[in-house]
Amino acid sequence: MNVLVINCGSSSLKYQLINSESEEVLAKGLCERIGMDGARLNHTPAGGEKVVIESPMPDHTVAVQMVIDALTDANHGVVKSLDEIDAVGHRIVHGGEKFASSVVINEEVIKAIEECNDLAPLHNPANLIGIRACQKIMANVPMVAVFDTAFHQTMPEKAYMYGLPYEYYEKYKVRRYGFHGTSHDFVSSRAAEILGKTREDLKIIVCHLGNGASISAVKNGKCVDTSMGLTPLEGLIMGTRCGDIDPAIVEFIANKENLTVSEVNNVMNKKSGVEGMSRVSSDFRDLSKAMDEGNALAKMALEAYTYRVAKYIGSYVAAMNGVDVIAFTAGIGENDGRVRAMVGEYLDYLGCGIDAEKNAIRGEEVIISRPDDKVTVMVVPTNEELAIARQTVALV
Ligand code: AMP
C-alpha cells in the first residue's frame, strides 16, 4: 500500500509517499510560498536528484495537483498514476478533547476539527485546507487524520488542569493538551522495542528537542504528563519560544514596551528562546560554535536550555515515581551530543550518566548511558511521517 503523508501549513505543504510494506520513502517534497509570488515545489524521488519546479500556486488545490503530477511524472515520478496512491494521512495539529486517536476523515470529523480551530488558529485551518484540497483531487482515496495532541489525551486531570477558574475550562476548554504526540508515541514505543521490552512495563521520559521542544512522561505505555500546554509555547526553552515564564511578565512588558498582548505573544513565540537569549541564532550548531568562540550569551542560553530540560526530567521522575528510560529525539536530541552531555551532568542522582564515546554517535539509535547504569539513556531518531503512514494503514 502507498500512503501519501501530508503536513499542510498556511503557505506550505510537506509530503512523503511511503510504501507501507517496505516502509520505504518513495519520494518526498515541499510546496513553498502557496498563494504568493515565487511559489515552487521541491520534489525528491528516492535515490534521485532533487527537482525544483517553479510555477504559480494560487491555492492548496493547485499545490496538491502539482504534487500528484510530480509523483506520477515520467522522469522524476515514482508511481504510474493516482491509482497507486491508496490512502492519505494528514497531520493535524489540534484535536482538542475530541480526538484521543487517529480517525478516518469524513464530514463529521472535518466539522469536529473545525471546532478545534480556536485552540490552534494558525495551524488547524491550514490543515483543513489540505484535507479539502486532497478531497477535490483524490475524491475516492481514503484519508486519515493523525493528531499532534491525541497521544497526550491519556493525561490525568491533575496533570492537564491549570490553576485557573474552572469556568475557563468549562467555557473554553483551557487546559494542557501537549503536542508532538505522534513523536512521543513513536519514540517511546521504539525505545522499548530496542531494549526488547514492552512499553507497558516501563517508565519512559521522551525529550523531543527540535526547533519546537517538549518532554513527556510515558508510564506503562500511556502519556501521564507533557511540557507543552494549551499551545506549544509552554514548557522548555525552545529555538525561538520562551517556554515557561512568570505569566505576569506579559503585562509588564506590554506596559514597558508599549505593545499589545498579541505583540508580546508574538515576541514570546518568534523572538525568544535561545535565539532571543543569545542574540546569536535558534540553530544549535551556531550556538555551540559561538560558545566555543567565547560568546558568553550563547553559553548562558545553552546552560539555561539544558538546565530546564534537566528540571523537567526531575519533575517527571517524581510524577512517575521513577524512570527506566530517558530517550532523546528530534533535530537537537538526535544530533547534538553537547546538549545531551550537559543534560547528563544532572542525572547522577538517578544512578546514570552519559558515556562520552557512545554520545559522539550522531543521528542513530544508540544507548548512551553506561552498561551498569540504573536508568537507560538513549537516542531514538523520530519519524513522524512513518508513524502517520502506519496509523493510516491501520485505519483504512
Ligand atoms: P527539528 O525541528 O527536529 O527539525 O530540529 C531542528 C533543529 O535541530 C535545528 O534548528 C538545529 O538547532 C538542530 N540541529 C539540526 N542538526 C544539528 C546538528 N548536527 N547539531 C546540532 N543541532 C542540530
Side-chain angles (χ1 to χ4, degrees):
M1 199 170 174
N2 292 330
V3 181
L4 181 60
V5 176
I6 300 260
N7 182 353
C8 193
S10 56
S11 65
S12 69
L13 189 151
K14 262 195 245 167
Y15 64 94
Q16 284 195 7
L17 186 67
I18 297 177
N19 178 282
S20 67
E21 283 85 30
S22 63
E23 300 204 324
E24 186 194 346
V25 177
L26 303 177
K28 62 180 170 184
L30 166 70
C31 300
E32 292 174 292
R33 300 184 62 81
I34 301 170
M36 300 182 215
D37 287 342
R40 62 168 183 221
L41 166 66
N42 300 310
H43 172 81
T44 312
E49 295 274 305
K50 177 163 114 176
V51 193
V52 180
I53 303 158
E54 289 182 23
S55 169
M57 287 184 226
D59 58 38
H60 287 73
T61 310
V62 176
V64 171
Q65 188 59 57
M66 281 182 64
V67 170
I68 302 297
D69 291 346
L71 290 169
T72 55
D73 185 86
N75 296 317
H76 51 255
V78 289
V79 289
K80 288 198 186 70
S81 74
L82 192 53
D83 295 344
E84 290 180 45
I85 298 174
D86 303 291
V88 181
H90 288 271
R91 177 188 180 208
I92 309 294
V93 167
H94 219 307
E97 288 184 329
K98 295 175 198 288
F99 298 102
S101 57
S102 305
V103 282
V104 175
I105 296 174
N106 56 29
E107 281 308 309
E108 206 182 318
V109 167
I110 290 180
K111 195 164 164 283
I113 297 173
E114 253 162 18
E115 284 166 10
C116 300
N117 279 359
D118 256 4
L119 296 170
L122 295 179
H123 295 101
N124 270 31
N127 299 157
L128 283 162
I129 289 170
I131 293 177
R132 291 288 188 207
C134 288
Q135 281 180 326
K136 275 192 205 145
I137 289 171
M138 296 177 266
N140 298 319
V141 181
M143 304 203 192
V144 168
V146 179
F147 300 90
D148 259 26
T149 49
F151 182 61
H152 304 302
Q153 277 297 302
T154 49
M155 275 188 290
E157 211 173 26
K158 64 185 175 189
Y160 71 68
M161 286 305 292
Y162 289 120
L164 288 167
Y166 194 69
E167 63 182 284
Y168 299 150
Y169 173 66
E170 285 178 314
K171 288 203 279 195
Y172 314 118
K173 293 283 174 236
V174 172
R175 50 159 283 181
R176 174 183 311 287
Y177 290 97
F179 298 87
H180 298 135
T182 312
S183 176
H184 288 284
D185 186 13
F186 179 90
V187 170
S188 54
S189 277
R190 184 67 198 136
E193 219 171 77
I194 294 166
L195 297 173
K197 296 185 176 163
T198 56
R199 194 168 64 164
E200 283 61 35
D201 297 328
L202 294 170
K203 296 170 181 172
I204 305 174
I205 295 175
V206 178
C207 308
H208 177 110
L209 311 180
N211 199 28
S214 66
I215 301 207
S216 68
V218 183
K219 187 179 183 186
N220 308 129
K222 291 200 163 69
C223 176
V224 294
D225 209 343
T226 191
S227 58
M228 282 179 168
L230 173 76
T231 76
L233 187 55
E234 192 181 347
L236 300 176
I237 295 172
M238 308 180 209
T240 63
R241 295 190 195 121
C242 60
D244 298 336
I245 58 165
D246 178 345
I249 293 171
V250 175
E251 189 193 14
F252 185 86
I253 295 296
N255 289 339
K256 291 282 183 201
E257 295 270 312
N258 201 18
L259 297 174
T260 64
V261 170
S262 302
E263 285 166 341
V264 178
N265 200 42
N266 192 50
V267 171
M268 294 188 301
N269 271 290
K270 300 199 173 142
K271 295 184 178 159
S272 303
V274 291
E275 180 174 294
M277 294 172 83
S278 67
R279 297 191 181 131
V280 172
S281 164
S282 64
D283 193 306
F284 277 62
R285 288 161 286 199
D286 302 335
L287 218 54
S288 212
K289 187 166 166 275
M291 175 169 156
D292 288 338
E293 288 164 0
N295 185 312
L297 290 186
K299 181 167 180 274
M300 176 274 288
L302 272 166
E303 284 174 350
Y305 180 91
T306 47
Y307 177 63
R308 179 78 57 90
V309 174
K311 281 209 298 187
Y312 263 96
I313 290 174
S315 68
Y316 289 166
V317 173
M320 295 193 289
N321 190 18
V323 61
D324 301 303
V325 180
I326 299 171
F328 286 94
T329 196
I332 300 152
E334 290 167 28
N335 296 301
D336 197 325
R338 171 180 258 171
V339 163
R340 293 192 302 254
M342 285 171 77
V343 174
E345 285 170 19
Y346 295 96
L347 301 179
D348 271 0
Y349 72 103
L350 291 172
C352 70
I354 287 178
D355 179 294
E357 208 172 300
K358 289 186 199 144
N359 192 37
I361 300 169
R362 256 189 48 201
E364 277 177 42
E365 288 179 345
V366 57
I367 293 173
I368 56 174
S369 48
R370 300 156 308 200
D372 294 329
D373 282 350
K374 291 194 193 120
V375 177
T376 306
V377 185
M378 58 204 295
V379 176
V380 180
T382 192
N383 192 337
E384 288 168 283
E385 290 79 12
L386 177 59
I388 292 172
R390 282 180 183 167
Q391 292 184 33
T392 303
V393 172
L395 283 171
V396 304

